[in-house]
């Protein structure tokens, strides 16, 4: 069985487990006030070249998004997202449960444009009906998107300008940040992300950690009460150093850190698979730029791969004969697995 | 100045004010437990031919919709609405503030179809991702819609069947119920509304009352705790009899009640205005069936009417030369006003 | 039947009803943007001698309290109240439903002291556990209290100083403000209230209006988004002028306004009743200073009064033989009623 | 440095880390649908002798309590707790943030009685004001309590009967369940807990796990939508097997499982420390029955211990000369540490 269904199906990079074992007998103060968390914070501040950024470690992505929105928005304010955005579709209404509307913008490839954001914000904010409508106050994008696509530096810059114009916070969901930053076609650095976004997170769960996500914010307003929002939502891990340690192991060493190495590898594997699929004439659903590949396969292709022990995500049947499928590489994908998939595709 | 901008710009039908004056010195028990509320409840139960329906009197429409949704939905559940639905656009995120997502369905005329509802519910409910998505549990429609259009009996029946299939509550916003029920082309009775809907309200504010809306529900589940939801949201009026009295005055007398008389009159006036507009070749934006008329007027038509002292709502400029405008008649519209508008149009 | 059970059992002062009738045919813009609301705002600004105070008209007290708290508090913040405070006991958890804890302070007479507030705030705010606890950010008091008692000017001043020290908003629930301000023993003016409080409301429902309460805030932070919070909670009355008109009629004329006249009268009646009760040796539960009288009556006294057609609130039986009862005068109480009660007491 | 400040300052029992390393390369389906979680569920079902109980694995205690309350309560309902209960004091208003009031009952030792619960429920539920007050619907207790005390079987039975009478869910916070069940004086089994409670959790974080808590509910109503509430609150861990694995390792083997062994050891160490303290005449603040010891120490005693490298929690200074301190043993406490503390005490 060769598994390409997702990037969160295995434990952690061995370096992480070893580090956990090594410090297991030490005693630390709780709730993230320990020295390992401090080191991890320094690692990140260095990577983004922003000594005043505030950093917090949380357990998962939905938790992160929901708390970030609660910290950014007044009760009557709302967030703008692509219609395929994780907060718009796959978080069981977590954002609405904190009291906020998600304004969705149609998007074919998971991305939204500065112009779309401006149009939406303009409609709601420059409106006679003011208090009768929600007030957009944040923009949610993901890097890379749900479809593995990337924003260019220019696109992020344009979005930032629109956010400035309409007083919108820019929040970037980086569940797969590592895969985005190390993609071939990417021209954005983590420091750029920190410059354009008011807040974002560096995903651990899908990028080599056992679990955990690192929240980063340069906005004093968001910084002010973030830990209160975390605790109030059950997101202040008692043994906070477990999270700090993982990010320290992944991110120490700057641009050559483990995090980038293992994500870059996964992208390279994805490129090989992409080439193999393209060579068979398979139709990409969207031209992904990172570790997730979306293709339209025929029923016989689907069955053929399955017969050969290839495990992948079947998103849905577009019609009776065509399925939208996703192949996902990860930090744990091995050369052997990629060879097996490439061979299976070529059969 | 002849005012056609909306149907909530004047006090109340004189009968209401007289009745208020008449009972002003009497002393009543508070919070709707008085005998006048009981009479109004009986009037409604009779009109809808449903002795077990539960009825509550609230102050306004947004308050009503928000409490109804809170009473119908668990925290992770959501409501389906037209994209032009009042809860989707003009309630400042009141529904989201109670924790619930509003799933919007595109609609050109303010109506949604049974097929659209089924498709939406099917996508969310019959889905492997179950708990990752919100669960639609209610459908919100308005009768008449924001654009003055009406659902036929057959359309409501179809929607009811889809609601049964997917276990969805059907909720009907009746802010302008009186205008809908007394429209020429309407084939639905208040008893039909009570049969198809799990809950709905009979609008007072826009239909002759000083203020107030009457909530009706036949669903035991919604009935169970409704007063708790009212109080918790500050919607239990201390002097409840003020609301009961108004609905008693409007609805006593069954099919010939004041409520229907004054709304029917407003519809007839609207027909006259519609005929006048059509005769000038003005383009209806939507073919309304009740007291709200949406037309596309040229800049010069707009200015011409304004010069003649006609006051109407300019929704927005479709392009540089064309405006979407609304003419709205109401229970307080007079023949003289209609004559003035018809003459102005014909100029 | 002579009714002393509460002060919200009758319609409105005749002046209000007449004013409503007089403007009934006029057409006004909605949602409080009309000229009558502007007049009422001016009346209030003049009374409190604060031209920059922001004023909004709402329908009821629970609605008011809940929206005020939502506007003042971040999600993790809380409000301090007497354990007998309306928000702590009789609003069905409305404050908690907006997400905020109510910290209760024990109180025998409905009042809390500056020292109690300081102790509570100190415990929560100067605490190592910071984000593990809610953060008090507002103090709720009522003037007069639930038991009819009053804060002296000195007491309010002391509370204000504590609020300054701990950065707490001071909010005063004035459901019965008129009765408090016109009480014999009172040394506080409405202008004082506006000086000490960040926000408060002037109650209409219990003081001569048909319905409605006037919110006043001098705090720019609370002012900023108040209308959004109103709309989002269904508290923006479409026919806003109905509220403005009532407060204009009640408050025009400054210190001799109708509002003070009718409340002062009610206090005088209460004094007569108090004297009658005291003369029989009945034990006051609390020495009220305004229109609500709390006494402990024996079973035979209770029955005796009832037999004579006196209607009052029986709060609860303290023991088998003793009941806590409330006699409440109001703007609508007549001399004849008071005579009847005084005679009945003396029997 | 010898650390007795809390029971969550070290990683995990070595068995847990080894097990994590062993399965690290395996690939699992996400969100708790894996086979290891199934095994852990079976382990628990066996321990509580209840094959139909539903079990879910969450990350932390505040998260757990908040989701449990949201799943148990309608918006207008509330939960009864000791005034020292974790949900009442140390969760930053998490329960209120989900919309629910916490009714606090005074308690000296962390426990509340059946009689106290009955009195509280009776006051709120059998009340004429019904919808004006919140409706208690759940009781929160902890086993052991915040002060290390235990409920006897008889006490739990009495509480259960009151809960039945007033239709209250009984929820037991078991953050330190292992220490409670293995205490010398305890007469309650995990199966008893499952019999008396509608829902409870078995704490992992403080009892040998790296992180994680196991929720158990026998109530069909709570079971119905629990995963939805989890996801909506960001509590559905992507790599669910990490939690399942830990509970499988801790709980497999029934009554002799690792969980009970390591907790029993911690209790025995606590007894040795208790004896040492008592022998010096130190005054217990509360007579704890499990791994947390609360004592009143003089300033010189506090300083003496600190000088000897003993680390403990100083709760607060009762007066200038007396501090309330807590000594906490845990699954990771060693004999050497206990010897050091005992010696230091005896100095």
């Amino acid at each position: 069985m060769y598994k390409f269904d997702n990037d969160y199906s295995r434990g952690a990079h061995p370096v992480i487990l070893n580090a956990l074992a090594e410090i297991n007998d030490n005693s630390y103060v709780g709730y993230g006030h320990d020295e390992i968390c401090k080191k991890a914070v320094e690692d990140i501040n260095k990577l983004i070249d922003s000594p005043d950024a505030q950093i917090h470690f949380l357990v998962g992505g939905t938790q992160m998004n929901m708390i970030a929105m609660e910290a950014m928005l007044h009760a009557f304010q709302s967030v703008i997202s692509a219609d395929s955005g994780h907060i718009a579709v796959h978080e069981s209404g977590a954002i609405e449960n904190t009291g906020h509307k998600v304004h969705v913008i149609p998007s074919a490839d998971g991305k939204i444009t500065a112009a779309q954001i401006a149009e939406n914000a303009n409609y709601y904010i420059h409106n006679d009906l003011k208090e009768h409508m929600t007030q957009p106050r944040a923009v949610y994008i993901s890097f890379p998107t749900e479809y593995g696509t990337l924003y260019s530096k220019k696109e992020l810059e344009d979005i930032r300008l629109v956010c400035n114009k309409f007083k919108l916070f820019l929040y970037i969901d980086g569940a797969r940040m590592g895969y985005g930053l190390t993609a071939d076609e990417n021209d954005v650095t983590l420091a750029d992300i920190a410059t354009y976004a008011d807040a974002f997170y560096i995903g651990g769960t899908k990028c080599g950690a056992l679990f955990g996500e690192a929240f980063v914010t340069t906005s004093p307003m968001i910084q002010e009460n973030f830990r209160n929002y975390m605790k109030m939502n059950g997101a202040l891990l008692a043994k906070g150093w477990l999270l700090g340690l993982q990010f320290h192991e992944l991110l120490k060493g700057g641009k050559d850190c483990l995090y980038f190495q293992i994500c870059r590898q996964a992208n390279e594997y994805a490129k090989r698979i992409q080439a193999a699929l393209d060579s068979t004439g398979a139709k990409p659903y969207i031209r992904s730029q990172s570790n997730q590949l979306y293709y339209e396969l025929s029923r016989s292709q689907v069955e053929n791969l399955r017969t050969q022990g290839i495990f992948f995500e079947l998103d849905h049947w577009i019609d009776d004969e065509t399925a939208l499928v996703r192949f996902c590489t990860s930090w744990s994908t091995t050369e052997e697995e990629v060879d097996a998939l490439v061979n299976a595709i070529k059969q």
Side-chain angles (χ1 to χ4, degrees), chain A residues 30-99:
Chain A
Y31 303 110
H33 293 303
D34 61 276
E35 65 251 43
I36 310 185
C37 281
K38 282 203 190 74
K39 278 191 209 167
V41 165
E42 282 164 24
D43 294 331
I44 293 174
N45 279 337
K46 217 163 129 187
L47 261 175
I48 62 173
D49 198 18
S50 171
D52 297 332
Q54 198 186 74
I55 286 134
H56 300 286
F57 303 105
L58 285 85
V59 167
T62 294
Q63 184 185 69
M64 178 71 84
N65 293 336
M66 141 194 143
I67 293 173
M69 291 308 141
E70 203 166 2
M72 286 191 275
L73 305 178
H74 283 303
F76 57 87
Q77 295 175 330
S78 50
V79 53
I80 296 170
S81 161
D83 54 5
S84 54
H86 204 260
I87 59 165
V89 192
H90 287 130
E91 301 190 352
S92 195
I95 304 303
E96 288 84 0
N97 192 47
T98 67

Side-chain angles (χ1 to χ4, degrees), chain A residues 173-207:
Chain A
D173 182 331
R176 295 184 171 93
M177 183 65 83
Y179 303 115
L181 292 176
T182 60
D184 257 17
E185 304 164 42
N186 173 52
D187 69 349
V188 172
T189 65
L190 198 58
D192 293 333
I193 296 282
T195 302
Y196 295 129
D198 295 285
F200 67 97
Y201 76 90
I202 306 171
T205 300
K206 293 171 178 163
C207 304

Side-chain angles (χ1 to χ4, degrees), chain A residues 79 137 172 285 290:
Chain A
V79 53
R137 178 75 170 106
I172 303 183
Y285 177 70
S290 52

Side-chain angles (χ1 to χ4, degrees), chain A residues 19 27 45 64 86 88 98 103 124 128 134 145 158 160 173 179-180 221 236 239 250 271 275 290 300 310 333 338:
Chain A
S27 174
N45 279 337
M64 178 71 84
H86 204 260
T98 67
H103 291 285
Y124 282 93
D128 287 350
T134 66
T145 69
D158 290 348
R160 178 71 260 171
D173 182 331
Y179 303 115
M221 249 199 69
L236 205 55
K239 301 182 185 172
L250 287 169
K271 283 281 173 211
S290 52
S300 68
I310 307 296
T333 303
V338 178

